[in-house]
Amino acid sequence: MFIISCAKIISVLLGIVGALFIIPISVALYYGETNVLLSFIIPAAISIIAMFAINIPTRKIKISLKTKQTFLIVALSWIFASLMCACTFYSSGYFSSFVDALFESVSGITTTGATILSDVESLPRSINLLRCLTHWIGGMGIVTLTVALLPLLGIGGFQLIKAETTGPEKGKVTARITTTAKILWLIYFGLTVIETVALMIAGMDFVDALSHAFATVGTGGFSTKNASIGSFNSAAIDIICTIFMFLCGINFSLFYYLIIKKFSDVYENSELKAYFAIVVVFILIITFSLMPTYKSFGTSLRYSAFQVVSIITTTGFATADYLFWPFISQVFLFLLFFVGGCSGSTGGGIKVIRWVILGKQLNNETKQMLHPHGVFTIQLNKRVCRKEIVFNVASFMTLYLVLVAITTVIGCIGNLDILTSFSAAASMVGNIGPAFGSLGPSNNCAMLPDFVKLWYSFAMLAGRLELYTMLIFFMPSYWEK
């Protein structure tokens, strides 16, 4: 029964991804890029046919999942979606090996934005659009999209979304999980449309605007230009992208609360306050450090705000090579590698809420030392939290840092220097994209050995799925009955 349920869910998911291929197919037809049409059509057709072939004969079989099984389904869903896009990339003929195509696909689906390509402007526009579309698919979550579109997945749907979404606290915005998923995706779609229109008004053509909207709202970072957003040399485009990156680093549930006028839930949100404070403080610090470089407060603010928001939301866009900035600017940007966006956002990383919880616990420990008989609790959003949440956060942080350490070692084995290896490890696990050293914002990952690319692909998937969903399979207890 589990095999049937697994096949039904994954086939539907791949069918949905295949259906979305109509977007790059349309662009390929419009621009006469007939040489890559079959690269889109064949995997899309196979996935859609497989969806109907599996689901029609089994339509009367209800899906019932155990908690343990949801982790496997979510992990397999992301792996198969990555493989599907990798096959498209590789068959297009613009990637030298399947490993390179897989790395690019995983980087896109996980919204990391690291690339092996040195000249993305030489790609067909449809391929570039697909690269950015993978960000959009993975940003809100491909399983969340599946649950939103198919009420038949209502049974076990919440467990599936819990295994995919981010943050230590996961709940429903509405009573029904399918309704919650639909609302979140409608908000996501709306932001994409608004940004696309705004970028077109600012000077981009439709395909570039749509591509960068996909990459921004999904907080991914792929661009259709070699110099990323910086190639447009437009203050208006920089400002638009900065605003939408910031918005998409916020928990999407808060947008829904704004729509239904539950303003107190937004105003009292502890994570949002911390997120806003971190962004403002870091922007100001870096802005003043850039004054000798750009000779203007306005210009320094523009570049500082863009890069701070790009890194904290793990988008990874660039308007300048920050490796040429003052060292103090680089230090503060590197600190943001270990922050991440808000829980429930499209951003990756550790998440602001975990730092808020640890900060509050540190404050409580200090109070406990001064008042040994006192009873102190952690409050989030003016509500008392579960006691075990601190242990959950501590466990996650430990596992996160262990994975970063292992990934650093793998990079060093691949002949990367320690700075490049460590920053790349933080970037891959945090789904950021650019790093420091030889993998900075002006470089790419093409020179990495294949085994490093494969490990980085695993690290990106693990980071995007909050570690446990990918790493749980290496624990003996998972396989015990």
Side-chain angles (χ1 to χ4, degrees):
M1 184 63 71
F2 166 66
I3 295 177
I4 295 176
S5 297
C6 183
K8 283 167 67 71
I9 294 172
I10 293 176
S11 66
V12 169
L13 184 146
L14 294 179
I16 293 171
V17 174
L20 289 173
F21 273 30
I22 190 64
I23 301 173
I25 287 174
S26 300
V27 171
L29 288 171
Y30 182 82
Y31 286 100
E33 297 168 349
T34 55
N35 60 313
V36 295
L37 268 178
L38 288 180
S39 300
F40 296 118
I41 293 173
I42 292 175
I46 292 174
S47 65
I48 293 172
I49 292 171
M51 177 180 68
F52 287 112
I54 292 173
N55 282 273
I56 290 177
T58 61
R59 62 186 180 277
K60 294 183 179 179
I61 299 177
K62 292 185 177 180
I63 294 176
S64 179
L65 300 173
K66 298 178 181 178
T67 301
K68 181 185 290 190
Q69 295 169 340
T70 60
F71 288 102
L72 181 60
I73 287 178
V74 170
L76 289 176
S77 297
W78 283 75
I79 290 170
F80 279 116
S82 298
L83 288 171
M84 177 180 171
C85 293
C87 289
T88 302
F89 288 145
Y90 183 60
S91 62
S92 71
Y94 289 91
F95 292 80
S96 59
S97 70
F98 185 77
V99 172
D100 283 356
L102 180 64
F103 180 91
E104 196 81 6
S105 175
V106 172
S107 181
I109 289 286
T110 60
T111 72
T112 303
T115 182
I116 54 87
L117 297 167
S118 58
D119 184 13
V120 296
E121 293 179 29
S122 66
L123 296 176
R125 302 201 76 182
S126 54
I127 293 292
N128 260 329
L129 181 60
L130 176 61
R131 292 171 67 243
C132 297
L133 177 62
T134 58
H135 286 330
W136 195 76
I137 294 170
M140 183 57 69
I142 45 183
V143 174
T144 307
L145 175 60
T146 305
V147 172
L149 295 182
L150 288 182
L152 66 90
L153 296 184
I155 301 175
F158 184 52
Q159 285 73 25
L160 284 169
I161 290 181
K162 280 178 67 179
E164 180 185 62
T165 51
T166 60
E169 289 282 313
K170 299 165 186 176
K172 303 176 184 177
V173 174
T174 61
R176 292 177 57 84
I177 191 61
T178 51
T179 304
T180 297
K182 288 175 183 176
I183 289 170
L184 295 179
W185 264 93
L186 283 172
I187 294 171
Y188 190 59
F189 180 80
L191 287 171
T192 306
V193 171
I194 294 170
E195 188 186 2
T196 301
V197 173
L199 289 174
M200 290 177 68
I201 293 173
M204 287 189 186
D205 65 32
F206 173 70
V207 175
D208 277 345
L210 183 61
S211 298
H212 287 91
F214 283 155
T216 304
V217 177
T219 60
F222 278 156
S223 175
T224 60
K225 304 295 183 181
N226 294 331
S228 189
I229 300 295
S231 67
F232 294 98
N233 194 28
S234 166
I237 289 174
D238 290 357
I239 292 170
I240 291 168
C241 289
T242 301
I243 291 172
F244 279 90
M245 286 189 293
F246 178 82
L247 291 176
C248 293
I250 296 173
N251 190 323
F252 271 64
S253 300
L254 299 183
F255 295 121
Y256 175 67
Y257 293 144
L258 283 176
I259 292 171
I260 62 174
K261 299 181 179 180
K262 293 178 70 173
F263 301 119
S264 61
D265 286 346
V266 178
Y267 177 75
E268 295 173 358
N269 188 272
S270 304
E271 185 179 32
L272 179 61
K273 292 177 183 177
Y275 173 66
F276 184 80
I278 292 170
V279 169
V280 170
V281 170
F282 275 65
I283 285 176
L284 289 176
I285 291 172
I286 295 178
T287 295
F288 285 112
S289 72
L290 291 178
M291 290 285 287
T293 303
Y294 292 108
K295 313 298 182 184
S296 161
F297 179 80
T299 304
S300 299
L301 178 63
R302 168 186 163 188
Y303 285 103
S304 171
F306 185 95
Q307 208 59 63
V308 166
V309 175
S310 178
I311 297 297
I312 193 173
T313 61
T314 71
T315 306
F317 277 146
T319 51
D321 190 341
Y322 52 72
L323 296 185
F324 293 99
W325 286 1
F327 289 127
I328 187 64
S329 301
Q330 296 182 42
V331 167
F332 276 91
L333 285 178
F334 186 61
L335 289 176
L336 291 175
F337 274 50
F338 295 92
V339 179
C342 297
S343 60
S345 71
T346 58
I350 290 174
K351 302 295 183 300
V352 173
I353 189 63
R354 291 192 172 95
W355 289 112
V356 171
I357 292 169
L358 288 182
K360 288 178 177 289
Q361 180 62 20
L362 177 62
N363 184 50
N364 282 352
E365 292 293 336
T366 304
K367 289 180 180 179
Q368 193 75 57
M369 292 176 66
L370 298 174
H371 308 282
H373 301 293
V375 177
F376 305 99
T377 58
I378 290 178
Q379 289 191 352
L380 291 175
N381 312 331
K382 294 188 176 181
R383 301 183 187 93
V384 176
C385 290
R386 299 176 292 112
K387 292 182 179 179
E388 63 269 22
I389 194 170
V390 176
F391 299 104
N392 293 343
V393 170
S395 299
F396 175 88
M397 298 283 275
T398 301
L399 188 57
Y400 190 96
L401 294 176
V402 167
L403 182 57
V404 169
I406 294 173
T407 305
T408 300
V409 172
I410 297 295
C412 289
I413 295 173
N415 206 33
L416 295 177
D417 63 86
I418 185 63
L419 172 63
T420 301
S421 186
F422 180 52
S423 61
S427 179
M428 297 303 154
V429 178
N431 304 131
I432 297 166
F436 285 79
S438 58
L439 292 179
S442 296
N443 304 98
N444 60 72
C445 299
M447 53 80 171
L448 296 174
D450 282 353
F451 77 90
V452 175
K453 292 175 184 174
L454 290 173
W455 179 265
Y456 279 1
S457 297
F458 170 77
M460 288 187 282
L461 282 168
R464 176 58 182 82
L465 295 176
E466 294 281 271
L467 303 186
Y468 292 108
T469 302
M470 289 298 294
L471 300 181
I472 198 171
F473 308 113
F474 297 96
M475 301 177 184
S477 57
Y478 177 85
W479 303 102
E480 295 175 0
K481 291 185 179 181

